[in-house]
Amino acid sequence: MSGVRRLGARWRRRRPLRTRLALAASAAVALVAVGVCAAAFFVIRYELLHQLDLSLTQSATRVVQENRGEGPQIIAGECRYLSAPACAQVVPADPAADPEAAYLLPVSDPVREVAAGTRAPYFSNVTRFGQPLRMLTTPFGDGRALQVALRADPVERGVRQAAVLLAAVGGAGVLLAGVLGYAVSRTGLAPVARLTSTAERIAATRDPRHRIELPPGPPGRQDEVTRLAASFNTMLGELEQSVSAQRRLVADASHELRTPLTALRTNAELLARADRLTPAQRERASGALGRQIREVTGLVNDLIELARDEEPQPLLEEVRIAELVERTVAMARTHWPRVRFALSTGPGAAEAVRPGVPARLARLLTNLLDNAAKFSPPDAPVEVGLTAYGGGLELTVRDHGPGIAAEDLPYVFDRFYRAEAARALPGSGLGLAMARQIARAHGAELTVRAAPGGGALFTVAFGGEGP
């Protein structure tokens, strides 16, 4: 039995889904059709026999009323003809009381028992005159039984005709079930076939711009397969954006790396001929080479950081944001000695904690402070504020520099984007993009707007819960 089950499972695995669905639908419809035909046959057979039994009962009632008190005898014997009335005879319980003439209908022990009153009336099928008869045996009173019979071949013929007709109908139903099963599988799996074709085309061309055509209609009335196709289209859209972003990142990175690498090669080739340079020239070339190496190293590290989609969960810990901000601002003061940093912590913010990676949160704030320090005039401070509101926490970094032009605001957090005014300053254009990525990975939102009175105001809003 287990071998048969394994064979059936292997067969199902090797058959396409459309074939299996067509077979399942066909089998279901065929089973219903055969079941309905079988039920109809038994109902017709029962009704025909029931009508014949009613005719026998009526004939027996009429014979009893017309021949009450008669002794054992044959009352009517012309039932061999279809149009003749029922055959009828009276049989005593005691065989010794039988008439001299032979009975027309068969007399058996159950007939004597009905005459004696020890057995209930019953119907039976007998054969006489070479024809099938349906016979009723019922009490006649005073130790006698009445037997009434009618020809049953019309009923049997009607049952056979009904069987042939219903078998033909059932066969047609099975064929129709096959056609409907194929149509149902073809129609029902059409979106799945389109989805499969699209997936295969994407796998072959590696182009996620393909989409599955969806039937018209409101989204709330779509079936499961259509919703699956819509979800697949959404996934393709996300994949297309991801691939486009990856290509842009590679293109931008190659563009940004080309200049420092060219300078590195030039200075390396220059130092290779150090015997032709003066000590001052060698020192300048060596210093330029070191700065360019640090610039390329920083750019590569930033690219690696941006390639990470999320923070490593095992490194999450409860971070006291106020202490982290104080340490980061202290390091910024060391890195930017000519810039004044002003830190203010609001009520309730000093004890606030959030789950996160301390080094990543410090990198977020460092990028914001470095950006503010680059644009801040020497006589104006960079203002850092930490305030608590409700269940949230807000960190702000404001400079008093020239601010961000309105046309540049939508692109401030894009990778490698640098405003016209910032292209002469050091940097790769990745710091703010990395800051937003770190913020979102920690369940926060980083935004920027023009500050009142000039400058730019960056805001990191932490929600009530962590990432």
Side-chain angles (χ1 to χ4, degrees):
M1 187 66 180
S2 59
V4 175
R5 189 179 297 111
R6 286 196 299 270
L7 183 61
R10 190 180 305 114
W11 182 88
R12 287 193 298 271
R13 287 194 299 270
R14 292 180 178 178
R15 298 278 77 77
L17 177 60
R18 177 176 295 178
T19 302
R20 285 181 284 162
L21 181 59
L23 290 176
S26 301
V29 177
L31 184 62
V32 171
V34 172
V36 169
C37 290
F41 169 76
F42 287 110
V43 169
I44 292 173
R45 180 176 178 273
Y46 170 79
E47 288 296 330
L48 290 176
L49 290 176
H50 183 63
Q51 291 297 325
L52 183 58
D53 292 344
L54 286 178
S55 298
L56 286 173
T57 302
Q58 292 173 355
S59 298
T61 302
R62 185 172 60 254
V63 170
V64 170
Q65 292 175 350
E66 295 176 353
N67 300 275
R68 191 180 304 275
E70 295 289 339
Q73 59 178 314
I74 298 175
I75 299 176
E78 299 299 326
C79 59
R80 70 183 66 190
Y81 304 110
L82 288 176
S83 58
C87 292
Q89 64 184 24
V90 177
V91 179
D94 185 5
D98 288 341
E100 295 180 359
Y103 288 115
L104 181 66
L105 301 174
V107 178
S108 59
D109 292 338
V111 177
R112 306 289 184 180
E113 293 173 1
V114 172
T118 58
R119 184 185 178 95
Y122 67 93
F123 293 94
S124 59
N125 296 316
V126 297
T127 301
R128 280 292 184 269
F129 323 116
Q131 301 293 340
L133 301 178
R134 182 74 169 170
M135 185 175 68
L136 168 63
T137 303
T138 184
F140 193 71
D142 297 332
R144 294 167 298 173
L146 174 64
Q147 291 179 287
V148 182
L150 284 171
R151 284 183 58 173
D153 50 316
V155 172
E156 294 182 357
R157 189 182 307 111
V159 171
R160 286 194 300 270
Q161 291 175 349
V164 172
L165 179 60
L166 290 174
V169 172
V174 171
L175 293 177
L176 180 61
V179 174
L180 291 178
Y182 175 77
V184 167
S185 65
R186 185 178 181 85
T187 304
L189 294 180
V192 178
R194 291 196 297 269
L195 188 149
T196 304
S197 176
T198 303
E200 291 174 348
R201 187 163 58 251
I202 292 173
T205 61
R206 305 182 69 84
D207 185 3
R209 291 177 297 177
H210 298 287
R211 295 293 185 273
I212 301 174
E213 295 183 4
L214 301 178
R221 296 183 181 179
Q222 295 176 345
D223 56 21
E224 291 78 2
V225 177
T226 305
R227 291 201 299 271
L228 174 62
S231 300
F232 189 75
N233 283 344
T234 303
M235 182 189 68
L236 289 177
E238 297 293 336
L239 178 61
E240 182 182 2
Q241 292 181 4
S242 176
V243 171
S244 299
Q246 182 183 19
R247 290 173 178 171
R248 287 197 304 271
L249 176 62
V250 173
D252 293 340
S254 63
H255 175 75
E256 293 292 331
L257 285 171
R258 187 177 294 113
T259 300
L261 287 177
T262 302
L264 275 174
R265 185 174 63 246
T266 302
N267 286 306
E269 293 174 351
L270 185 63
L271 288 175
R273 298 189 296 269
D275 55 337
R276 303 180 184 179
L277 303 177
T278 64
Q281 290 174 332
R282 284 197 300 270
E283 184 177 355
R284 284 197 303 271
S286 177
L289 184 63
R291 289 193 302 273
Q292 289 155 2
I293 290 176
R294 287 192 297 272
E295 182 180 350
V296 171
T297 302
L299 178 58
V300 171
N301 289 335
D302 289 345
L303 288 173
I304 293 174
E305 294 292 340
L306 283 173
R308 298 167 58 179
D309 292 333
E310 58 183 13
E311 303 305 315
Q313 296 297 323
L315 299 180
L316 290 179
E317 58 181 86
E318 293 296 323
V319 181
R320 195 177 296 275
I321 303 298
E323 295 180 0
L324 178 71
V325 171
E326 290 177 3
R327 291 197 302 268
T328 308
V329 170
M331 290 192 316
R333 289 178 178 137
T334 304
H335 187 67
W336 300 88
R338 298 184 179 181
V339 178
R340 183 162 55 93
F341 292 89
L343 173 62
S344 63
T345 303
E351 303 299 324
V353 295
R354 289 292 184 276
V357 183
R360 304 290 292 152
L361 291 173
R363 183 63 181 274
L364 161 65
L365 183 55
T366 298
N367 288 357
L368 295 180
L369 295 176
D370 289 346
N371 181 78
K374 284 193 295 185
F375 294 97
S376 182
D379 56 344
V382 172
E383 300 173 4
V384 182
L386 185 65
T387 57
Y389 62 95
L393 191 66
E394 185 176 87
L395 172 66
T396 58
V397 177
R398 183 208 170 155
D399 64 70
H400 292 267
I404 303 174
E407 61 271 15
D408 292 327
L409 278 176
Y411 311 104
V412 166
F413 298 106
D414 290 352
R415 297 170 179 174
F416 298 106
Y417 181 80
R418 305 185 72 186
E420 189 71 28
R423 291 179 181 174
L425 298 175
S428 61
L430 295 176
L432 294 180
M434 186 184 307
R436 169 167 278 190
Q437 177 173 300
I438 297 173
R440 288 180 173 175
H442 286 77
E445 186 61 32
L446 173 60
T447 57
V448 62
R449 59 184 175 89
L457 176 62
F458 288 86
T459 302
V460 182
F462 294 91
E465 299 180 357

XYZ file of all heavy atoms in Angstrom, residues 347-349 352 354 387-394 462-465:
113
model
N 14.747 68.485 29.552
C 14.284 67.653 30.670
C 13.802 66.289 30.173
O 13.093 66.186 29.177
C 13.118 68.471 31.253
C 13.320 69.855 30.746
C 13.995 69.741 29.421
N 14.215 65.251 30.890
C 13.791 63.894 30.545
C 14.628 63.236 29.482
O 14.550 62.020 29.284
N 15.456 64.018 28.748
C 16.252 63.432 27.678
C 17.523 62.782 28.194
O 18.087 61.897 27.539
C 16.605 64.500 26.644
N 16.999 59.033 28.734
C 16.353 58.271 27.649
C 17.325 57.263 27.043
O 18.510 57.562 26.837
C 15.854 59.226 26.563
N 17.622 53.994 24.007
C 17.069 53.374 22.821
C 17.934 52.179 22.440
O 19.161 52.221 22.597
C 17.034 54.363 21.637
C 16.007 55.476 21.770
C 14.601 54.931 21.698
N 13.600 55.977 21.733
C 13.135 56.533 22.855
N 13.599 56.138 24.029
N 12.225 57.474 22.795
N 16.019 66.652 23.025
C 14.793 66.905 23.788
C 13.908 65.665 23.768
O 13.936 64.883 22.814
C 14.020 68.092 23.192
O 13.733 67.822 21.813
C 14.826 69.374 23.289
N 13.150 65.514 24.832
C 12.195 64.402 24.939
C 10.794 64.963 24.822
O 10.484 66.025 25.373
C 12.374 63.676 26.273
N 9.929 64.244 24.107
C 8.533 64.667 23.946
C 7.659 63.425 23.965
O 7.857 62.491 23.196
C 8.347 65.432 22.632
C 8.658 64.620 21.400
C 7.648 63.946 20.707
C 9.964 64.478 20.940
C 7.930 63.189 19.579
C 10.258 63.721 19.821
C 9.233 63.083 19.141
O 9.529 62.338 18.045
N 6.713 63.378 24.871
C 5.840 62.205 24.957
C 6.670 60.947 25.141
O 7.466 60.826 26.066
N 6.508 60.005 24.218
C 7.314 58.789 24.268
C 8.471 58.820 23.301
O 9.149 57.806 23.119
N 8.722 59.986 22.644
C 9.758 60.064 21.640
C 10.954 60.877 22.107
O 10.991 61.440 23.201
N 11.955 60.911 21.218
C 13.206 61.617 21.504
C 13.650 62.286 20.209
O 13.604 61.673 19.141
C 14.264 60.627 21.998
C 15.549 61.207 22.581
C 15.243 61.966 23.877
C 16.554 60.092 22.856
N 14.097 63.551 20.317
C 14.467 64.303 19.122
C 15.858 64.891 19.298
O 16.159 65.544 20.305
C 13.445 65.411 18.867
C 13.685 66.168 17.566
C 12.600 67.195 17.312
O 12.738 68.329 17.811
O 11.608 66.844 16.632
N 13.522 59.934 17.092
C 13.392 58.554 17.549
C 11.965 58.348 18.052
O 11.450 59.182 18.816
C 14.369 58.251 18.694
C 15.815 58.296 18.293
C 16.542 59.471 18.396
C 16.439 57.158 17.816
C 17.872 59.515 18.022
C 17.777 57.191 17.447
C 18.489 58.378 17.545
N 11.343 57.264 17.638
C 9.994 56.969 18.110
C 10.020 56.443 19.527
O 11.066 56.371 20.201
N 8.822 56.011 19.973
C 8.712 55.469 21.343
C 9.382 54.126 21.487
O 9.727 53.710 22.579
N 9.564 53.383 20.367
C 10.187 52.065 20.411
C 11.390 52.063 19.488
O 11.497 52.841 18.552
C 9.194 50.976 19.982
C 7.989 50.904 20.891
C 7.036 49.808 20.440
O 7.318 49.198 19.408
O 6.032 49.595 21.135
